[in-house]
Amino acid sequence: MPLPAPAPEAPKKPTRPSDRFVAYVYELCESKGTRAALRKGLGLPIERCNYLHRYLVPWLPEAVHPDAKRAHYAVAALIAARPRTARDTPAIRPAADDEAASWYRRVNLGGALAQAVGKKVLKPATAESALHLMTRQSTDAIHPGLPALTRQLLRDGIDIDWAVLLEDLAWWNRSRDRIATRWLESYFRVTSAAQAADDNTHPETPDLSEDNNA
């Protein structure tokens, strides 16, 4: 008599707080009404996010830093505002068991912009201009522009690692140079690798029209 097949393992719950928060917001967004309420916080300061408090206040500690609090509200609204084509895409999770080791290999916003360039969603000049502008700004200037940027990326099939974005926004005003450098490095690393792959796919060929005997 054949043995019954073992039950599939339940997916491990994320241990990183930012990943747990993103998973929580994804669950909230299964309700159309809740998703609409969260979406009302798009690009707004916390003082104008009255519809989000009932969902996010229970999650956040009372003593959370104001920048981190705003980052949580912003990311919740951005997730809720995903275009219909992106709603069925699951949240990005760590690829390895060791979440700490895999964290810096996950795609930040600079890497996402590079992917958009590779897929012809954005022109290189447009992506680089947007990236350089953001790296010089405070979060007060970055937050209002994120809804349009993330929506464009998602609409054209570019995934966003919300947990990475959440932590980067939370620390931006205190560690902007470090995070901005990581975004820029990711952008140019990805675009350079794509360019190298394209060069290998289309190697230069000799110009046979020339008269080599001249």
Side-chain angles (χ1 to χ4, degrees):
M1 180 177 179
L3 295 175
E9 282 189 38
K12 293 182 179 179
K13 291 186 177 180
T15 59
R16 200 173 184 96
S18 54
D19 281 313
R20 292 203 304 272
F21 177 77
V22 170
Y24 167 67
V25 175
Y26 266 66
E27 290 177 4
L28 289 176
C29 288
E30 291 176 3
S31 162
K32 184 177 179 181
T34 304
R35 190 169 66 243
L38 294 175
R39 196 165 54 238
K40 291 182 179 181
L42 274 177
L44 298 179
I46 292 175
E47 294 76 15
R48 295 176 59 192
C49 292
N50 295 335
Y51 290 95
L52 280 69
H53 297 317
R54 66 176 297 180
Y55 304 106
L56 303 187
V57 166
W59 177 273
L60 297 170
E62 188 174 351
V64 66
H65 191 282
D67 288 346
K69 186 175 183 181
R70 185 174 187 182
H72 282 79
Y73 275 63
V75 168
L78 290 170
I79 292 173
R82 287 169 297 160
R84 186 182 302 275
T85 55
R87 286 181 200 159
D88 294 332
T89 303
I92 296 174
R93 298 287 177 82
D97 291 336
D98 186 351
E99 292 187 20
S102 67
W103 177 253
Y104 289 100
R105 294 194 294 269
R106 292 169 65 170
V107 179
N108 56 47
L109 193 57
L113 286 170
Q115 291 178 3
V117 170
K119 291 185 177 181
K120 312 294 190 213
V121 172
L122 293 175
K123 294 180 179 179
T126 302
E128 287 184 36
S129 177
L131 185 56
H132 280 292
L133 178 61
M134 285 190 291
T135 59
R136 297 193 302 268
Q137 294 176 324
S138 70
T139 51
D140 285 337
I142 290 176
H143 277 284
L146 284 174
L149 177 60
T150 55
R151 186 172 184 84
Q152 180 178 7
L153 294 174
L154 293 168
R155 188 182 60 233
D156 290 297
I158 309 298
D159 291 332
I160 294 174
D161 193 323
W162 299 110
V164 173
L165 181 60
L166 169 61
E167 294 197 25
D168 285 348
L169 291 175
W171 285 97
W172 186 263
N173 286 335
R174 291 167 285 171
S175 299
R176 182 177 63 184
D177 290 345
R178 175 181 60 82
I179 300 168
T181 297
R182 204 175 83 247
W183 285 11
L184 289 165
E185 287 178 344
S186 295
Y187 176 84
F188 289 110
R189 187 177 296 116
V190 173
T191 53
S192 296
Q195 181 62 51
D198 188 62
D199 290 344
N200 289 334
T201 304
H202 303 93
E204 293 185 5
T205 57
D207 185 354
L208 299 180
S209 64
E210 292 182 359
D211 185 356
N212 294 325
N213 296 323

